[in-house]
Amino acid sequence: MAAELRENQVDFLADGGEMGALMRAYDWGSTSIGVPSTWPQGLRTAIRILLNTYHPMFIWWGDDLIQFYNDAYRQTLDDAQHPRALGAYGREFWHEVWAMVGPQVDQVMSGGGPTWNENQQIPVTRNGKLTHGYWTYGYSPLDGDDGISGVMVICRDVTADHYANLALREREAELARVQEIGKIGGLEVDLRTGFRNRRSPEYLRIHGLPPDATNETHEEWVARVHPDDREATERKFIEAVKSGARDYGVEYRIHRPSDGEMRWISVKAIIERDEDGKPIRLVGAHTDVTEEVQAREALLRSEEEARQLALKLAELNATLAERVREKTRERDRIWSVSRDLLMVADYSGAWRTVNPAWTQVLGWSEADLLDRTSRWLEHPDDQAKTMAEVERLASGQQTVRFENRLRHKDGSYRWLSWTAVPDDDLIYCVARDITEEKAAAERLKATEEALRQSQKMEAVGQLTGGIAHDFNNLLTGIVGSLDLMQTRLGQNRLESLPRYIDAAMTSANRAAALTHRLLAFARRQPLVPKSVDANALVVSLEDLLRRTIGEKLDLDIATASDLWFTLCDPNQLESALLNLAINARDAMPDGGKLVIATRNIHVGTITADTPALTPGDYICIAVTDTGTGMTSDVLARAFDPFFTTKPIGQGTGLGLSMIYGFARQSNGHVSIDSRVGFGTTVNVYLPRYEGAASEAITGSQRDEHQSAGETVLVVEDEPVVRSVVVEMLQDEGYRVLEAVDGPSGLAALRREPTIDLLVTDVGLPGMNGRQLADQARETRPDLKILFITGYAESVAMAEGFLLPGMEMITKPFDLDVLSRRIRAMVT
């Protein structure tokens, strides 16, 4: 009978999972509270409740605040804390946070009543490191034989919820900012007459007024305000005007005349006053904040619901048994009303339990979803990654912000963001519907793309107009000269023909230069990159630069002694420096100083001066003048094509854009630093080259030596170009074969036993010039090839295009230049 009594006295420790077993095995006799059979009824009842709830709970009992906790709370402790925490003294075990929680414990133990804390930041030592998490918890008194003897703590780790709410609010704020763009209505009120005038179209739209609405009186505005807001809104307006205040703001509701709809309006305004402080005018902005107010009210309702929930939880502490039963009901209620999609699955991925939110979001009933995996709902493109994520969970890894799409019952798909944790043989999941967030992001992306397309078309229109203007001028010079030549030939007046020929050639050369500048701007010019010693190149230009800038200007060349080599087209670099010198000269009409300096730089990170440069080594050529400088507006458009500040006829506006295109095509960059009245510095950045500098290329006169009868095959689909090249070669004694396209050129190569040089256009129809060259070299591997191109796509200029024995010349070309190139290749 005594044994049965003792067993009944400790049956409150039955069950309880791992912690129940640990409590039954613990040596309580060595503590100040003695063996379980002597514990007071209040502690026994609390322990029974503790061990039979799934909510994290723990108890501090007695003067030593000896600790008890259940399986759910055990999950919040690390291996260094559990099971050491069982039976430990609370003040010693939680010494790092006792300054925070101790006063609350003292309040409860002294009869001051329970406490409740939400989203409280608590420092906790985990795995030897001090971390900070967020907890919602309440302290409730426990009665002993002589009054309050202990504290029961119901708690929940809300760290993940806290940061998720912060992220959600940031996303909501960002979305609100995006939605507000372009939705502000401007307004001006004449405070002397009372008329509201100069109302922007957006103001009229927000207030539901017609686009042609005339001036509006103060009384008409007041009549549109919601009756419940009218008196307070008008009073605040009048007080702001009379008080001498400068700023005025208010929120109120209106009934729009256009559709009768009620909308919330936010007003931010400035009251302008005369020297005596009398109000003159109110200038303000009206914003439709209906959705924001509704969201705010919904948030307040949600917060009120949360507060009410907290109060209910606190009330449950009155009676321990009732608190456990109510907690169970509350858990079921949260499961039922939560907007988050809650689900428990096994390691095979089969869904075992779902809350009603799944039906609200996807339309499927609970019976449709249970005891099946999600594969039948998954978007086909997401099935592989979803299966892989389930396998990760089954291996013990957690899931955070995993996204996939599940099919709604109506056939559409919803985007879900998942958080999941494996525990024993089950996976506990929380999902959130982010379909609207995804749609908002896509709408923003589409808006940005539309803006980029609009800017692109504006630039194309500007470029097309500039090209048409300049080319029409040049074509007029060419056509006019040829027309006069034809007339003079008919009149047999030959003495003026050289002048017309010179005029036509001048216009044609200017057109060719314009084409090259356009290709440079578009980064499509056919560059011939070589390793270049920039110091030697700058010094070699000194005489030409001095003649170009004139005697009024001082020229100073400062070269770095250890300057690296670079890889670029030296001719284009010379042209760029000459253009910069001319620009500097024009900026210093009354004299000044021009400095060209070189230096090495290392780009470690992207800066404002080098935004387009990848990290690495570069040389910098700085061209500095002491001229008039540029305004911020001019500096912002300096690289725009056909933009120039020079008088009409003195510049095309392509100089800086050509330099920019050349630098970017050479994997470099150009930046400008300019101040009005102090001058301008243009920095040209070019990549470092580790090899040695190429030998300098010097010009030569046309080779007067006649051909020794070498055979040249010319493949060109343009008849005029082909006939000019063929006739020039025949005049110089070459044996010339011609073909109109790739297949006929390939036939000639197979037919003729001896061909010393293949001259072919790159842009042939059908089989292009490079394909012709590749097939020709299959049977003649040593065949020399000269490519001709008028427009080089980036692929044509890719590294490895010109193999040994291949060269390239760009249309339009001087026949002397073509003759020298061919002579050099065949000899």
Side-chain angles (χ1 to χ4, degrees):
M1 185 66 180
E4 182 179 351
L5 179 62
R6 285 193 302 272
E7 182 178 347
N8 291 336
Q9 288 176 333
V10 296
D11 62 355
F12 62 88
L13 292 177
D15 300 323
E18 175 189 2
M19 294 311 303
L22 290 175
M23 288 185 192
R24 291 191 294 274
Y26 195 89
D27 181 13
W28 297 107
S30 62
T31 70
S32 59
I33 63 174
V35 296
S37 60
T38 65
W39 292 354
Q41 185 60 43
L43 177 58
R44 296 183 184 187
T45 303
I47 294 296
R48 184 191 304 276
I49 295 171
L50 177 83
L51 293 178
N52 288 278
T53 182
Y54 293 106
H55 200 88
M57 295 174 60
F58 66 95
I59 293 171
W60 285 315
W61 186 268
D63 294 338
D64 294 330
L65 298 181
I66 292 176
Q67 296 183 152
F68 303 84
Y69 54 96
N70 61 8
D71 284 358
Y73 185 80
R74 179 260 177 277
Q75 302 301 320
T76 69
L77 303 175
D78 62 21
D79 294 337
Q81 296 170 321
H82 172 78
R84 185 172 62 86
L86 183 64
Y89 295 168
R91 295 182 184 86
E92 297 174 3
F93 191 84
W94 297 111
H95 62 88
E96 72 265 35
V97 297
W98 202 255
M100 179 183 298
V101 304
Q104 299 179 48
V105 174
D106 294 339
Q107 172 185 329
V108 175
M109 293 290 286
S110 63
T115 67
W116 181 256
N117 295 271
E118 293 186 0
N119 296 322
Q120 181 71 42
Q121 187 179 36
I122 301 293
V124 179
T125 301
R126 293 278 174 81
N127 300 317
K129 295 183 179 179
L130 185 64
T131 61
H132 290 80
Y134 290 84
W135 291 79
T136 292
Y137 59 92
Y139 292 169
S140 302
L142 293 175
D143 292 333
D145 294 337
D146 300 315
I148 298 173
S149 299
V151 178
M152 172 170 281
V153 183
I154 301 176
C155 58
R156 185 166 67 93
D157 185 346
V158 296
T159 304
D161 294 343
H162 175 80
Y163 287 113
N165 287 334
L166 287 180
L168 177 59
R169 292 188 180 184
E170 289 176 358
R171 288 193 296 272
E172 291 174 345
E174 183 63 26
L175 181 59
R177 287 194 292 271
V178 172
Q179 292 173 339
E180 287 177 1
I181 295 175
K183 294 185 178 179
I184 298 176
L187 169 71
E188 183 177 308
V189 180
D190 189 337
L191 297 176
R192 293 167 296 191
T193 65
F195 278 99
R196 307 166 71 81
N197 46 35
R198 296 190 184 180
R199 294 170 293 170
S200 72
E202 186 61 17
Y203 175 94
L204 298 175
R205 188 197 66 77
I206 290 174
H207 283 261
L209 299 175
D212 57 348
T214 58
N215 290 351
E216 181 183 40
T217 66
H218 178 77
E219 290 73 21
E220 290 173 334
W221 163 68
V222 171
R224 199 165 57 253
V225 179
H226 191 284
D228 294 344
D229 299 342
R230 192 171 294 161
E231 180 181 353
T233 301
E234 186 177 19
R235 183 176 65 252
K236 189 167 186 179
F237 171 80
I238 295 173
E239 288 175 354
V241 173
K242 291 183 176 180
S243 67
R246 179 176 179 273
D247 296 326
Y248 164 67
V250 68
E251 277 190 5
Y252 58 87
R253 291 166 290 177
I254 65 167
H255 283 295
R256 295 199 302 203
S258 61
D259 53 13
E261 185 178 357
M262 188 200 77
R263 305 296 293 180
W264 277 95
I265 305 297
S266 173
V267 180
K268 302 293 182 183
I270 295 174
I271 301 174
E272 298 180 359
R273 303 178 183 273
D274 61 17
E275 295 178 355
D276 298 327
K278 294 182 178 180
I280 301 173
R281 183 169 49 253
L282 179 146
V283 179
H286 284 219
T287 307
D288 187 336
V289 294
T290 305
E291 287 75 16
E292 180 181 335
V293 171
Q294 292 172 347
R296 190 165 62 228
E297 292 174 347
L299 179 61
L300 290 174
R301 288 195 298 271
S302 177
E303 291 175 346
E304 178 61 21
E305 291 173 1
R307 192 181 70 83
Q308 294 298 328
L309 178 61
L311 290 175
K312 290 180 181 179
L313 289 174
E315 292 171 0
L316 296 178
N317 293 328
T319 304
L320 291 177
E322 180 61 23
R323 181 168 59 247
V324 173
R325 289 192 297 270
E326 184 61 25
K327 184 57 185 177
T328 302
R329 291 194 298 270
E330 186 64 31
R331 182 197 63 188
D332 295 340
R333 189 179 305 123
I334 293 175
W335 176 267
S336 300
V337 304
S338 174
R339 296 183 179 180
D340 288 335
L341 290 80
L342 310 179
M343 183 262 288
V344 179
D346 59 28
Y347 280 0
S348 71
W351 295 13
R352 297 308 180 197
T353 308
V354 295
N355 71 332
W358 284 96
T359 300
Q360 298 169 13
V361 171
L362 293 183
W364 302 101
S365 68
E366 181 178 355
D368 293 330
L369 298 171
L370 293 183
D371 299 323
R372 308 169 69 179
T373 69
S374 62
R375 189 172 182 84
W376 66 285
L377 292 174
E378 295 161 9
H379 192 285
D381 294 343
D382 297 342
Q383 289 181 348
K385 70 176 185 178
T386 302
M387 183 178 296
E389 197 66 24
V390 173
E391 292 175 354
R392 290 182 67 256
L393 284 163
S395 67
Q397 301 182 58
Q398 295 185 1
T399 287
V400 179
R401 291 189 296 276
F402 171 76
E403 296 180 359
N404 69 353
R405 288 161 289 183
L406 296 187
R407 179 165 48 86
H408 191 279
K409 194 170 184 178
D410 64 10
S412 63
Y413 282 91
R414 298 290 191 270
W415 276 100
L416 301 183
S417 177
W418 295 80
T419 298
V421 179
D423 184 26
D424 294 332
D425 296 330
L426 297 174
I427 301 172
Y428 296 87
C429 309
V430 179
R432 187 167 54 85
D433 184 358
I434 59 171
T435 307
E436 289 302 320
E437 295 176 20
K438 288 280 189 179
E442 287 299 320
R443 288 194 296 270
L444 179 59
K445 181 179 178 182
T447 302
E448 292 172 343
E449 182 60 32
L451 177 60
R452 283 193 294 269
Q453 181 66 18
S454 175
Q455 293 170 336
K456 174 182 176 182
M457 294 309 297
E458 181 180 354
V460 169
Q462 181 184 11
L463 180 63
T464 304
I467 294 172
H469 175 271
D470 280 19
F471 264 100
N472 283 337
N473 288 339
L474 296 171
L475 289 173
T476 299
I478 296 171
V479 173
S481 297
L482 292 175
D483 192 19
L484 286 172
M485 288 170 62
Q486 188 177 30
T487 301
R488 296 296 181 262
L489 284 171
Q491 297 169 345
N492 201 24
R493 295 168 56 187
L494 307 182
E495 68 280 358
S496 59
L497 292 185
R499 179 159 54 90
Y500 301 142
I501 292 173
D502 288 343
M505 286 297 295
T506 299
S507 292
N509 288 331
R510 287 178 60 196
L514 178 60
T515 301
H516 280 294
R517 290 186 176 190
L518 288 170
L519 289 174
F521 163 72
R523 307 177 204 171
R524 288 292 187 272
Q525 62 179 336
L527 299 180
V528 182
K530 302 176 183 296
S531 55
V532 174
D533 181 349
N535 277 347
L537 185 143
V538 171
V539 171
S540 70
L541 290 175
E542 183 173 0
D543 290 340
L544 176 59
L545 291 173
R546 290 189 186 279
R547 291 195 300 272
T548 301
I549 64 177
E551 297 180 354
K552 284 186 178 181
L553 305 181
D554 293 331
L555 175 63
D556 184 11
I557 295 179
T559 57
S561 59
D562 58 347
L563 190 70
W564 298 319
F565 294 140
T566 187
L567 185 67
C568 70
D569 187 321
N571 295 325
Q572 293 297 327
L573 180 56
E574 290 178 356
S575 176
L577 294 177
L578 185 60
N579 264 287
L580 292 176
I582 293 172
N583 286 349
R585 178 199 65 190
D586 295 342
M588 298 183 288
D590 300 323
K593 186 175 183 179
L594 174 63
V595 179
I596 301 179
T598 63
R599 71 182 189 274
N600 296 326
I601 69 165
H602 175 76
V603 177
T605 57
I606 296 175
T607 66
D609 291 332
T610 59
L613 294 180
T614 57
D617 292 332
Y618 297 83
I619 70 162
C620 177
I621 305 175
V623 180
T624 303
D625 65 62
T626 57
T628 56
M630 304 181 193
T631 65
S632 58
D633 292 340
V634 172
L635 185 60
R637 299 188 60 192
F639 292 126
D640 288 356
F642 298 105
F643 174 74
T644 179
T645 58
K646 297 178 181 179
I648 296 174
Q650 296 187 20
T652 64
L654 279 173
L656 282 176
S657 62
M658 177 272 291
I659 295 169
Y660 181 83
F662 155 70
R664 296 298 295 129
Q665 195 174 356
S666 302
N667 296 318
H669 185 57
V670 180
S671 67
I672 304 177
D673 182 17
S674 185
R675 293 174 60 196
V676 175
F678 290 90
T680 300
T681 296
V682 180
N683 295 298
V684 180
Y685 301 91
L686 295 169
R688 179 182 183 180
Y689 180 64
E690 300 290 350
S694 303
E695 295 182 4
I697 300 176
T698 58
S700 62
Q701 299 298 319
R702 183 167 179 172
D703 190 351
E704 298 297 335
H705 175 73
Q706 290 293 306
S707 165
E710 294 92 341
T711 300
V712 178
L713 172 59
V714 178
V715 184
E716 169 63 63
D717 62 316
E718 178 57 47
V720 175
V721 177
R722 186 174 69 253
S723 65
V724 169
V725 174
V726 169
E727 186 171 345
M728 182 273 290
L729 292 175
Q730 289 173 340
D731 286 348
E732 295 190 356
Y734 292 97
R735 176 173 175 260
V736 184
L737 306 175
E738 56 181 301
V740 298
D741 54 25
S744 59
L746 194 60
L749 284 164
R750 293 170 179 168
R751 183 175 60 249
E752 293 293 330
T754 303
I755 294 179
D756 300 290
L757 177 67
L758 168 62
V759 179
T760 179
D761 188 7
V762 174
L764 295 174
M767 178 189 296
N768 63 40
R770 179 52 197 263
Q771 293 169 333
L772 171 62
D774 290 341
Q775 294 197 37
R777 282 205 166 180
E778 290 181 3
T779 56
R780 300 178 187 230
D782 298 326
L783 178 64
K784 296 179 179 179
I785 301 169
L786 175 61
F787 291 107
I788 300 175
T789 181
Y791 179 80
E793 290 287 357
S794 57
V795 66
M797 291 298 97
E799 183 178 355
F801 181 84
L802 294 179
L803 301 177
M806 296 181 179
E807 294 190 18
M808 179 173 287
I809 189 169
T810 306
K811 299 176 185 176
F813 45 76
D814 188 286
L815 292 180
D816 288 346
V817 175
L818 177 62
S819 175
R820 288 197 300 271
R821 294 289 291 274
I822 291 176
R823 168 56 47 200
M825 293 187 72
V826 299
T827 57

